[in-house]
Amino acid sequence: MLIPHDTRFALDMVVDLVNTAPQDDHGAGVTEERLADVAALETFVQAHSISDVGELGGRDLHAVRRVRDRFAEIFAASERRAAAELVNDLVAEAGTTPQLTDHDGYDWHVHYFAPGASVADHLAADGGMALAFIVVAGEQERLRRCEAPDCGRAFVDLSRNRSRRYCDSRTCGNRLHVAAYRARRKEAAG
């Protein structure tokens, strides 16, 4: 699947944002809120080189958490039409205004947020459009949750054959493959 750099960048941001939410780690407990305060939001904005958002405050934090929840709904959508409706609503509410730009050392790319948009609208517009491209391409099943029993983090499977089952942020795949290998060796030896 060919994905332009700006769409890939936006998809990475969506995944990272979804993964800031507290989640049940399937028996390992509930993870903490990683977007707990405005300082955490500022760190997120800086880590993702999100420009033109101005000074952030409590209202921005709450609005970004709502966008995060809506992204999570898109990941959880069971069928393409449902995902499309969620994306359409999100992008429309963000007031998208597509514009070509080349700034901060990046080649030409498209921003979908309106000039002067809030950080939440900025994330909703750019992230929503990135998700829209996935849905339009008929690739919604690439929006996944890690299958490790103690994880559940979001990721986008960009492998050629859509075979990725685990996130890469916590080495889940390696842990499970090692455990399976050890179990096979124990069974063969016993």
Side-chain angles (χ1 to χ4, degrees), residues 159-177:
S159 66
R160 285 181 188 239
N161 62 358
R162 297 175 195 87
S163 62
R164 195 166 146 210
R165 297 174 46 208
Y166 307 109
C167 70
D168 57 2
S169 61
R170 295 175 40 183
T171 64
C172 292
N174 289 342
R175 286 184 302 110
L176 292 171
H177 292 299

Side-chain angles (χ1 to χ4, degrees), residues 11-56:
L11 287 171
D12 289 343
M13 178 275 305
V14 167
V15 165
D16 288 348
L17 183 59
V18 169
N19 288 331
T20 65
Q23 53 188 294
D24 181 6
D25 275 354
H26 309 287
V30 176
T31 61
E32 66 183 43
E33 169 67 66
R34 291 183 38 224
L35 211 55
D37 53 28
V38 174
L41 177 59
E42 290 170 346
T43 299
F44 182 87
V45 165
Q46 289 173 348
H48 291 279
S49 303
I50 300 168
S51 58
D52 298 326
V53 295
E55 189 171 329
L56 302 174

Side-chain angles (χ1 to χ4, degrees), residues 76-159:
S78 60
E79 58 131 37
R80 192 173 181 190
R81 182 165 304 282
E85 288 174 8
L86 291 166
V87 169
N88 284 341
D89 290 345
L90 179 69
V91 170
E93 289 172 21
T96 58
T97 307
Q99 54 189 320
L100 291 170
T101 184
D102 66 337
H103 63 87
D104 297 329
Y106 294 104
D107 200 1
W108 286 101
H109 58 282
V110 181
H111 281 296
Y112 294 95
F113 57 91
S118 69
V119 66
D121 285 345
H122 183 133
L123 298 175
D126 279 357
M129 289 305 300
L131 292 169
F133 292 128
I134 296 293
V135 173
V136 165
E139 302 285 353
Q140 181 198 345
E141 72 275 4
R142 291 182 182 272
L143 305 177
R144 298 200 175 152
R145 293 288 184 160
C146 183
E147 292 180 19
D150 61 342
C151 189
R153 293 172 58 88
F155 69 93
V156 178
D157 178 4
L158 296 178
S159 66

